[in-house]
Amino acid sequence: MAIQPYQEESNVSNPIKRIGWATQRVTGAQGRHKRHSILDRFHHRRSGSGEKKRESADGPRLEGVQEEEETDKSEEGGDNGHATRRIFFNIPLSDDAKDAEGHPLAKYARNKIRTAKYTPLSFIPKNLWFQFHNIANIYFLFVIILAFFSIFGASNAGLGSVPLIAILFVTAVKDAIEDWRRTVLDNELNNSPVHRLVDWNNVNSSDDDVSLWRRIKKATTRRIVWTFRFFKSRTQRKGRKGKTYAQRALDEPRISGDTTRSRNSIATSRTSFHSVHSVESQTDRDEIQMTPVPSPQPGQRGIVDSNRLDPGERPGTAFSYEDDQLILETHDGKSPTAKVNQRESGSNPAKFYGSLIDPLKSAPGKARFKKDYWKSVQVGDFVRIYNKDQIPADVVILSTSDPDGACYVETKNLDGETNLKVRQALHSGRKIKHAKDCEQTEFVIESEPPHANLYQYGGAARWTQRDPKNPAEPGKQMVEPISINNLLLRGCSLRNTEWVLGVVVFTGQETKIMLNSGITPSKRSRIARELNWDVIYNFIILFFMCFLSGLINGIIWSQGNNSLDYFEFGSIGGRPSLDGFITFWASVILFQNLVPISLYISLEIIRTLQAFFIYSDTFMYYEKVDYPCTPKSWNISDDLGQIEYIFSDKTGTLTQNVMEFKKCSINGIPYGEAYTEAQAGMQRRQGIDIEAEGAKAHKQIAQDRVKMLEDLRKMHPNPYLHDDELTFVAPDFVNDLQGHAGQEQRLANEQFMLALALCHTVITERIPGDPPKIEFKAQSPDEAALVATARDCGFTVLGRSTEGIILNIMGEEREYTVLNTLEFNSSRKRMSAIIRMPDGRIILFCKGADSVIYSRLNKGEQQQLRKTTAEHLEMFAREGLRTLCIAQKDIDEEEYQIWNREHDLAAAAIIDREDKLETVSDAIERDLTLIGGTAIEDRLQDGVPDTIALLADAGIKLWVLTGDKVETAINIGFSCNLLSNEMDLIVFKVQEDTAAAAEAEVDKHLASFGITGSDEELRAARKNHEPPGPTHAIVIDGDSLKLVLEEELRQKFLLLCKQCKSVLCCRVSPSQKAAVVQMVKDGLDVMTLSIGDGANDVAMIQEADVGVGIAGEEGRQAVMSSDYAIGQFRFLQRLILVHGRWSYRRLAETIANFFYKNIVWTFALFWYQIYNDFDCSYLFDYTYILLVNLAFTSLPVIFMGILDQDVSDKVSLAVPQLYRRGIERKEWSQKKFWLYMSDGIYQSLICFFMPYLLFKPANFVTSSGLGVDDNRRFGVYTACATIVTVNVYVLLNMYRWDWLMLLLVSISILLIWFWTGVYTAVSSSAQFYKAAPEVYGQLSFWVLTLLTVSICLLPRFTVKSFQKIYFPLDVDVIREQIRQGRFKYLDKYEAYVPPGKLPSAASSDMSQPAIAAPGTQTPLPEDERPIYPPSVAATGTTHNAHSQNGSDSTNYTGHRTSLEQPRPSFDRPRPSFDRMRDSMDRIRPSYEASNDFTSAALLTRMESSHSDVPATRTRHGQSSLR
């Protein structure tokens, strides 16, 4: 955009130019090769980008820049060879953009979204196509086709197709129901309302290209929908109650965030932000000629007549600090905004940005905004979006209801974050307010092609700027860059903004949210993967059975001179070879049940009901957010029973992600009282009675809290201070703020709080009341906690004005002009705000990770202060607090003006804008002066220590992968039972950033375990599932992890970790989390589970065998990508130890019994072929063959998989060691498969040869003299005994014999007798007619059945009895103890709580419940948080082992009194500080001092690396200190 030639330097600079980094993710050059970016899944990859980078919510305010030819040439190549998308507005298409008929060449995706698989026309063929991807279905279809040829001997081909038809039908109905739900959501979304400009010519699309097929589909759909609605209207009740989110949880499995939009009625009224505003009527909203936003009446309180505003003055809107209840005025009664404007307007003329409106163009005036459907939106459309509406497509913002062109959006559907982000309108489009203005525009948008990166976008608006005073002049070519900050993405929601007007650049499947949808990998359970091999084994057995039958039958036909010559009328084939061939395929039909087609549908039923039971478990229901445990993948429940490794995030997963400001260090003085869980864990390992210590600490904190509130109110009656929200308890801070410790410390405390109140990007929200309440919506809950603490101490952020921030400081309102905001990203690890103070001075405030700030401090200054502050930060980190440093820098006007020119050029760049902005920001953020540091607590969730201990008892290894610093992670590990006092802590740190140094470090630690990391040791480790002893734990940071994850070191590091009880990986990126999961999963061949709550956990959630998302109070990104969603970490114990173990054991037993029963039945037929020359004669009636798996034996084995239970849920939790059989995979193995197959073959021999031996010596006849020795009646003897044996065998393998199981087995047994009686009673049964009374009338039948069943089951019964008596399994012992009453004590619990587990003595405040800090918002991924604890990792801006340095001392900022003489750390009693200092001194020698491990030691040696080096970017992961 065309920046005019720079103005002459002035005393007052242009305000608020922000760099877009609020939510940026960057990993660096080397990270590109390892990350599993979603860009790799699509056709487009942007050049020059590392990890996905986020632009700021507050976006760059880019001035218009005159277009230069050189710039254009370089920019045109910015799409890596992909064609640039050009969108024309009120300009005819260029010749190269249209075809010979004048239609546009570019074909854009429709905005209609279909996440459903099927349409009414395509359902049947498409569903059958998907179902016949299953090889078993293809096999049975082939068998049915064979049966239609009578040559193969099938008696009833039509009846033979019934099982397959039934299975296909049931599966189709299930698929149809699931897809119908998706279709309903799709239609609801596609038919959502949006106001679109109509009656104008959008040259970018043509309405004449609707194909005939699409017309047919639309007509069919309309007819089906009309029919459905007709019948539904006749049966539907009125006043249907809506579903809650929890009720809908199962209805919406793993859908894209795009389809979870809030369901606002089309008629929903959109009220103004100010309650006094009226709402226009529904009729007015349908067709909008002018802006439909009601304007306040002149003279209303707090409102200024917009027609009487001076140039540059801003009306009261949702973004100003004024509201109806409170008018902010200075002591002289004038608006502070007006005062500043009056002061500055003359000294700095506004820059000219240009306008997309052509002032010389006459508009027809016909265009109007009309309510339309989302699906009608096309590329190039003008759309108007209202407050609380969702964005229908990817839209470039032209103008908003705010004079500054700002709007707020919520991106929860994209990234799971509910915090608001700011987007900016184009400077050149802010005058476009009405439909007539849209008609007058003439411009072209050149856009990059669609790609999936949510955090990058590049484009440019080009137009000809004409001068209305000189209409004859040709006009000046202008261009304005378009970034992600000017783009509203589909799926976002507009918030706190009355309206936005924009143009559509991407629609439908080309929008970013749709390019990101459906990326969740398809997962199959381990049993399902192994099941394929077992089915293949059955195919091989079937092949040999058929081959043997064909071979023998062909040989017998070739022999001659046998019974065939006398009883057959010639062979079917005519020659022996052809006879054998026909017999082979006839055998395939005869033995078809050997391949279990019904197994697949049975497993679908079982898994679906298992998922329902998990969903229905009320003990995993999180009432706070109305969320049950929700299965997103229904086919991997058995994997939950085999988990050996769990990979967990820390923040928001183990902790609550409720940030509370607890402590700080200002000018070398520590403030704040707290007794944290991590501190309690540290004292527990020192042998201190934490109950007594905790009670003592809480009593002291409660007293200090009361005193601090009294002192604060004496100092200033702060109307925004609420007692229940105070988290920073420090009475001595208030005393020092009043000057009790001297003027220097008072000024230092004031400057510290001022920095917290000014250096941020929070959005204020006032809640009217008496007293009023101000809440903060921030990029992260950490930032909101900092601003909230400043408010509690009297430095209240009231809101933002046109040019800055309005503060209420001790009752006095002041305005500070924000010149620039340089926002946080994961590579910068800091954010800065450049502020013009009321006295005209320019100060840069910077906050960030300690290592980053320390490396940018003034070289050779503040040595004592740096050392003292570093020690305080270290102590804070040991308490489990998240820490950061605060610094500032005075900037003179000339230096700022020079830098600001560079910043403007970088902000105006279209190519590599983020890199250029980062380089420019790096240049100004140097030579800082340290102010102090802060410490914020993120408390553990309820039940985390007990859950981790329980999982450890079950043999599950838990690894924590976090972005926090080492000391913080260690102390959290102690507080949550992950680490213990008896463990040797291996702090893995590589002094030199080389693979050789890393290998030496790994070898050193391997040697202590007596291993070398060889392949033989790896093979042994794969077979050993025993948990390692609680002797060692590993702590490793991200930079060291990057080295050991290289191919040559991965195996050694894996074996080293295998020897350790716990592993903590700190400072890791999302891609590193996924790489660690992959290393363990593939290296050790184990089942893994990943659990997390943020977008940065998605990679490891998808990489693990089972992914679990925490559906807490905030975002849902992890949930959307997970297999199971739970509300709290503690629910993991029931999900894994109860439902997982049950599901795995049930499914393993079900599959084994399924194969067994098919073997018994099929081989009974096979033995009969021996006595009829393998001619494939049927021993059983054909209906038996069809119904054996469908009815006679299906219910017991299915309900075994659904309801069988060895021990109750309470016992499963009381004895977690029962879970270890799943880890060792002993419930399902190939050995078990072949044992059951062998048992089936043995029983088939008994079932056939018992009747054979009965009939061999004599024939039996009925009372009427008819014989019962024909093959059909002989088959009744065999079939009934076989069915009874199979069902009783299944019952014998069940643990739970209740009335339902006994009833199901009895029904299945009686069913064959019932069917035989009914079917043989009709003459259509042919030779089978009257077989039931004839056979059932024989005493030999009943005696034989009893004997056969007894002999078949005797070996199984004997072996099970011997095993349970002499070699009992763990579960056998526990079951016996249950019968002895040893677990009666569990009856008093609703859900089992492990006894003997003491509740945590730690509490934030004994007198107050855990209350979120005001303004606490959505958790950002840890590698994106603006607030980082002290770092010891060698990152791009931190410690290098080769640099031995020290900082010289200077005074606190701005005060030149020397502090060369060390001052005492404190001069009054500070109980919390004393406790922590004492704890530190006791444990420091144990493992830290010897390793030079403390952050204080590192920070005091750190040189200010950015003081006098060029502003060049270093590779991420490499130190810039070299």
Side-chain angles (χ1 to χ4, degrees), residues 350-364:
K351 295 180 181 178
F352 177 66
Y353 298 105
S355 175
L356 301 178
I357 298 176
D358 186 351
L360 303 179
K361 181 179 180 180
S362 60

Side-chain angles (χ1 to χ4, degrees), residues 456-673:
Q456 281 189 345
Y457 175 75
R462 299 181 185 272
W463 73 99
T464 301
Q465 186 65 48
R466 302 176 67 183
D467 187 356
K469 298 179 181 179
N470 300 296
E473 290 187 2
K476 181 170 55 178
Q477 297 300 313
M478 304 283 283
V479 57
E480 178 173 355
I482 305 173
S483 72
I484 192 67
N485 269 340
N486 310 117
L487 193 69
L488 295 179
L489 300 183
R490 177 185 175 119
C492 296
S493 299
L494 192 65
R495 292 286 187 267
N496 292 2
T497 308
E498 293 177 354
W499 55 266
V500 164
L501 192 150
V503 291
V504 177
V505 290
F506 298 121
T507 51
Q509 296 296 336
E510 293 179 344
T511 57
K512 290 184 180 294
I513 189 173
M514 295 309 297
L515 290 175
N516 280 279
S517 65
I519 63 172
T520 303
S522 177
K523 296 181 181 179
R524 298 183 65 207
S525 68
R526 177 181 285 271
I527 286 184
R529 297 193 299 267
E530 294 177 353
L531 186 62
N532 285 340
W533 285 104
D534 299 324
V535 173
I536 290 173
Y537 295 149
N538 277 23
F539 268 116
I540 294 172
I541 294 173
L542 175 65
F543 171 80
F544 280 109
M545 291 170 65
C546 296
F547 178 77
L548 187 63
S549 298
L551 179 64
I552 295 177
N553 187 255
I555 291 174
I556 291 176
W557 275 110
S558 66
Q559 287 177 345
N561 298 322
N562 52 32
S563 61
L564 293 176
D565 296 336
Y566 303 100
F567 294 99
E568 298 288 346
F569 296 97
S571 66
I572 297 176
R575 61 180 187 271
S577 58
L578 189 56
D579 290 334
F581 179 79
I582 294 173
T583 301
F584 176 88
W585 295 111
S587 300
V588 172
I589 299 175
L590 180 63
F591 305 137
Q592 61 182 283
N593 284 329
L594 187 63
V595 178
I597 183 176
S598 56
L599 173 62
Y600 293 96
I601 189 65
S602 299
L603 295 183
E604 285 287 329
I605 295 171
I606 291 169
R607 284 176 171 140
T608 299
L609 289 174
Q610 285 176 348
F612 176 75
F613 291 152
I614 291 173
Y615 173 75
S616 303
D617 190 340
T618 57
F619 296 119
M620 293 194 292
Y621 171 72
Y622 190 37
E623 186 175 5
K624 193 172 184 179
V625 294
D626 186 28
Y627 203 87
C629 177
T630 305
K632 302 287 183 177
S633 297
W634 294 6
N635 60 339
I636 60 172
S637 57
D638 45 292
D639 277 352
L640 287 170
Q642 306 170 70
I643 301 300
E644 185 170 354
Y645 283 85
I646 293 178
F647 301 90
S648 174
D649 179 36
K650 184 184 76 68
T651 303
T653 303
L654 300 178
T655 60
Q656 297 178 14
N657 205 37
V658 175
M659 304 299 175
E660 296 179 349
F661 188 106
K662 290 297 182 185
K663 297 189 177 185
C664 64
S665 174
I666 306 174
N667 197 27
I669 302 296
Y671 297 104
E673 298 295 325

Side-chain angles (χ1 to χ4, degrees), residues 39 45 144 167 207 211 253 388 497 510 518 551 630 717 779 879 886 928 1021 1126 1136 1160 1192 1311 1339 1370:
L39 294 178
R45 178 186 291 265
I144 290 170
I167 289 170
D207 296 330
S211 64
K388 297 185 180 179
T497 308
E510 293 179 344
L551 179 64
T630 305
Q779 299 283 346
E879 294 181 79
I886 310 292
L928 305 178
I1126 57 179
I1136 293 177
V1160 175
F1192 299 154
L1311 195 59
L1339 179 62
D1370 292 341

Side-chain angles (χ1 to χ4, degrees), residues 32 46 114 210 377 394 419 487 591 768 925 1025 1161 1390:
R32 298 175 200 157
R46 289 181 58 81
R114 177 177 287 121
V210 180
V377 172
D394 289 355
N419 54 291
L487 193 69
F591 305 137
E925 295 169 322
H1025 298 282
W1161 182 263
E1390 258 194 325

Side-chain angles (χ1 to χ4, degrees), residues 1330-1370:
K1330 297 292 184 182
E1334 294 170 0
V1335 174
Y1336 295 165
Q1338 302 294 318
L1339 179 62
S1340 60
F1341 170 79
W1342 303 105
V1343 174
L1344 181 72
T1345 301
L1346 179 61
L1347 285 174
T1348 302
V1349 172
S1350 301
I1351 296 173
C1352 284
L1353 299 180
L1354 184 61
R1356 181 69 174 180
F1357 180 81
T1358 303
V1359 170
K1360 286 180 74 73
S1361 301
F1362 185 81
Q1363 176 262 314
K1364 291 183 183 297
I1365 294 172
Y1366 297 103
F1367 302 99
L1369 302 176
D1370 292 341

